[in-house]
C-alpha cells in the first residue's frame, strides 16, 4: 500500500457544506413540486368565465357557496375529471370547439347530469381603467365591453338551443322559476329556444333563461320543477340542463341573495337532490393538464408516499454525511495499491 499524504485543513466548514447541500436539495424538490402542482401555468384568476375566476363573469362565488352548503366541489383539469359521477358544470368560452363540447355531453349521458352554461359577455381587464385613474382594480377584475352569442352552439347536434340576445327596455329584466324570482343585473338578456327544451327559468316575456333537454330520460325532479310531466322512461339516462343566461349564477349574480338561492335550487334539481360531487370543468377554458408521474407524485393519494420517500432520502443523506462528510471536507483520502 501507499498512503497519500494528508492534505492541509480544508477551508470549508462541514456545517456550511451540509447547509448548502440541504438548501440545494430543498430548492430542487420545491421546483419539482411547483411543476407538478401546475404553478408554472398562467394565473387561473384571469377574469374569464370559469370557476377559478373571481371577476364579474366567473363562477368562483358559486363554487364557494356550494362548498359551504356541503357539496364536494371538484375543479377538473383533465379528461378523467369529466368522467366523474355527480353533476358536471361546463362553462365554455366564446371561442371553443362546439363538437368537443357535444362529445363531452354525449359521453356523460349514462354517467351523470351535465349543466351547460353559455357564455355571453365580452370583457376587458379592469386594470385598463385603473391605469386611467378611474378606479382601483384587483387581480381578475374585469369591465364589460359587450355581449355576443357563441358561434359554437350550432355544433351541439343533436341538441338544438338557438341562443339569442336582446336588450330589454323596461328596467332590470325580471326572472322567475324553481320557486324563486328576482331581477338580472343588466338589460341585455340571453335566452334559448328549441323544440326539445323544457323551461325551468324564464323572464317576463316567457323567454327560456334556463331549460332542460326533453329526451328518452326519466327526470321527475326537473319535470316537477318545470310544472310538467316526465314522458321519458329510461332511468339510466341523465339530464342535460342549459343555462342560457349566465347572470343567473355567476359572480355578478352572487351579489343578489335571490340569485344565490336560485343557483342552489338549480344545482339541487340538476343533481336530482343528491348532495354529491359537483365538478366544474376547466379544460375547455385552457387549463387542461396531461397527467404524468411528476404531477401524480404531488397529488393525493400519492403525495403521502412522495413525502415518505423524501424523508427517507434526507435521513439516508444525513447518515452518509455523518460517516463520510468530515473526511471528504478535510481532504483525507486513502489509495489502495
Amino acid at each position: 500500500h501507499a498512503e497519500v499524504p494528508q492534505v492541509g485543513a480544508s477551508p470549508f466548514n462541514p456545517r456550511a457544506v451540509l447547509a448548502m447541500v440541504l438548501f440545494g436539495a430543498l430548492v430542487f424538490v420545491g421546483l419539482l413540486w411547483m411543476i407538478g402542482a401546475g404553478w408554472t401555468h398562467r394565473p387561473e384568476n384571469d377574469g374569464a368565465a370559469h370557476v377559478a375566476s373571481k371577476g364579474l363573469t366567473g363562477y368562483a362565488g358559486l363554487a364557494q357557496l356550494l362548498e359551504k352548503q356541503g357539496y364536494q366541489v371538484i375543479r377538473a383539469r383533465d379528461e378523467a375529471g369529466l368522467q366523474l359521477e355527480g353533476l358536471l358544470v361546463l362553462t365554455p368560452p366564446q371561442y371553443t370547439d362546439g363538437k368537443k363540447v357535444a362529445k363531452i355531453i354525449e359521453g356523460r349521458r349514462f354517467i351523470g347530469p351535465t349543466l351547460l352554461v353559455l357564455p355571453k359577455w365580452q370583457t376587458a381587464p379592469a386594470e385598463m381603467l385603473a391605469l386611467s385613474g378611474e378606479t382601483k382594480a384587483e387581480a381578475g377584475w374585469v369591465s364589460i365591453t359587450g355581449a355576443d352569442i357563441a358561434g359554437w352552439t350550432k355544433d351541439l347536434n343533436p341538441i338544438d338551443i338557438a341562443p339569442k340576445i336582446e336588450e330589454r327596455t323596461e328596467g332590470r329584466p325580471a326572472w322567475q322559476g324553481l320557486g324563486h324570482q328576482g331581477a338580472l343585473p343588466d338589460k341585455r338578456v340571453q335566452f334559448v329556444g328549441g323544440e326539445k327544451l323544457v323551461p325551468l327559468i324564464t323572464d317576463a316575456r316567457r323567454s327560456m333563461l334556463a331549460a332542460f333537454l326533453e329526451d328518452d330520460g326519466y327526470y321527475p325532479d326537473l319535470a316537477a320543477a318545470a310544472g310538467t310531466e316526465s314522458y321519458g322512461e329510461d332511468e339510466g339516462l341523465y339530464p342535460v340542463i342549459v343555462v342560457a343566461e349566465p347572470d343567473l349564477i355567476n359572480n355578478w349574480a352572487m351579489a343578489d341573495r335571490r340569485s344565490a338561492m336560485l343557483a342552489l335550487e338549480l344545482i339541487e334539481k340538476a343533481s336530482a337532490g343528491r348532495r354529491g360531487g359537483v365538478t366544474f370543468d376547466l379544460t375547455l377554458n385552457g387549463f387542461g393538464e396531461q397527467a404524468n408521474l411528476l404531477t401524480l407524485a404531488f397529488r393525493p393519494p400519492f403525495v403521502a408516499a412522495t413525502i415518505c420517500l423524501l424523508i427517507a432520502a434526507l435521513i439516508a443523506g444525513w447518515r452518509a454525511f455523518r460517516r463520510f462528510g468530515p473526511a471528504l471536507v478535510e481532504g483525507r483520502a486513502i489509495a489502495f495499491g
Side-chain angles (χ1 to χ4, degrees):
H1 311 315
E3 273 193 29
V4 178
Q6 180 176 335
V7 183
S10 172
F12 299 102
N13 187 304
R15 294 183 178 179
V17 173
L18 177 60
M20 292 174 63
V21 171
L22 289 177
F23 177 76
L26 289 175
V27 170
F28 178 70
V29 172
L31 178 62
L32 292 180
W33 180 79
M34 290 175 64
I35 296 174
W39 279 33
T40 56
H41 299 168
R42 63 187 175 91
E44 293 183 346
N45 183 24
D46 56 1
H50 53 73
V51 69
S53 173
K54 298 180 180 180
L56 280 178
T57 61
Y59 300 94
L62 175 60
Q64 292 180 359
L65 178 62
L66 292 175
E67 288 173 334
K68 291 182 178 180
Q69 295 297 317
Y71 286 90
Q72 179 188 10
V73 175
I74 303 168
R75 296 158 178 82
R77 295 176 175 84
D78 53 37
E79 294 185 359
L82 305 180
Q83 301 300 317
L84 297 175
E85 296 181 352
L87 179 65
L88 173 66
V89 181
L90 298 176
T91 57
Q94 287 279 1
Y95 303 99
T96 191
D97 186 352
K99 294 181 180 179
K100 185 175 182 179
V101 178
K103 183 179 179 181
I104 293 174
I105 295 175
E106 185 62 27
R108 288 189 50 82
R109 295 312 308 272
F110 292 93
I111 297 176
T114 303
L115 191 148
L116 173 64
V117 187
L118 301 184
K120 181 179 74 169
W121 294 119
Q122 296 173 338
T123 62
E127 286 86 349
M128 298 176 63
L129 295 177
L131 292 176
S132 63
E134 295 183 18
T135 184
K136 294 183 179 180
E138 296 186 8
W141 286 16
V142 296
S143 58
I144 302 296
T145 60
D148 194 10
I149 63 173
W152 51 261
T153 55
K154 64 180 182 297
D155 296 324
L156 290 179
N157 295 328
I159 304 174
D160 179 23
I161 57 177
K164 295 181 180 179
I165 295 179
E166 291 183 359
E167 183 170 350
R168 305 299 194 223
T169 57
E170 65 282 1
R172 291 178 60 189
W175 56 260
Q176 59 181 357
L178 305 181
H180 300 271
Q181 58 183 1
L184 295 172
D186 192 271
K187 294 183 178 181
R188 288 162 286 187
V189 180
Q190 181 168 243
F191 55 93
V192 289
E195 295 181 357
K196 295 185 178 181
L197 293 178
V198 180
L200 290 170
I201 305 169
T202 60
D203 65 1
R205 300 185 183 182
R206 306 302 297 172
S207 300
M208 287 188 287
L209 307 184
F212 72 92
L213 181 65
E214 184 179 25
D215 49 26
D216 297 331
Y218 178 64
Y219 317 127
D221 292 337
L222 290 174
T228 183
E229 296 182 7
S230 181
Y231 298 100
E233 298 180 355
D234 191 345
E235 297 185 5
L237 200 62
Y238 286 91
V240 176
I241 301 94
V242 179
V243 177
E245 181 48 76
D247 293 343
L248 292 172
I249 62 175
N250 59 17
N251 293 337
W252 202 355
M254 293 299 103
D256 189 330
R257 184 179 183 276
R258 297 171 298 178
S259 298
M261 297 300 294
L262 173 71
L264 288 177
E265 189 71 22
L266 180 62
I267 295 296
E268 182 177 356
K269 297 301 183 185
S271 305
R274 303 170 186 168
R275 289 295 182 93
V278 177
T279 301
F280 286 84
D281 169 60
L282 282 169
T283 63
L284 294 173
N285 302 96
F287 297 101
E289 298 177 355
Q290 292 293 332
N292 53 57
L293 292 178
L294 184 58
T295 58
L296 291 176
F298 291 94
R299 293 181 181 176
F302 305 105
V303 65
T306 302
I307 294 175
C308 292
L309 288 175
L310 291 176
I311 294 176
L314 289 175
I315 293 175
W318 170 249
R319 290 179 176 176
F321 181 82
R322 290 190 62 184
R323 183 174 181 181
F324 303 108
L328 294 174
V329 173
E330 291 176 9
R332 296 193 184 98
I334 299 178
F336 297 90

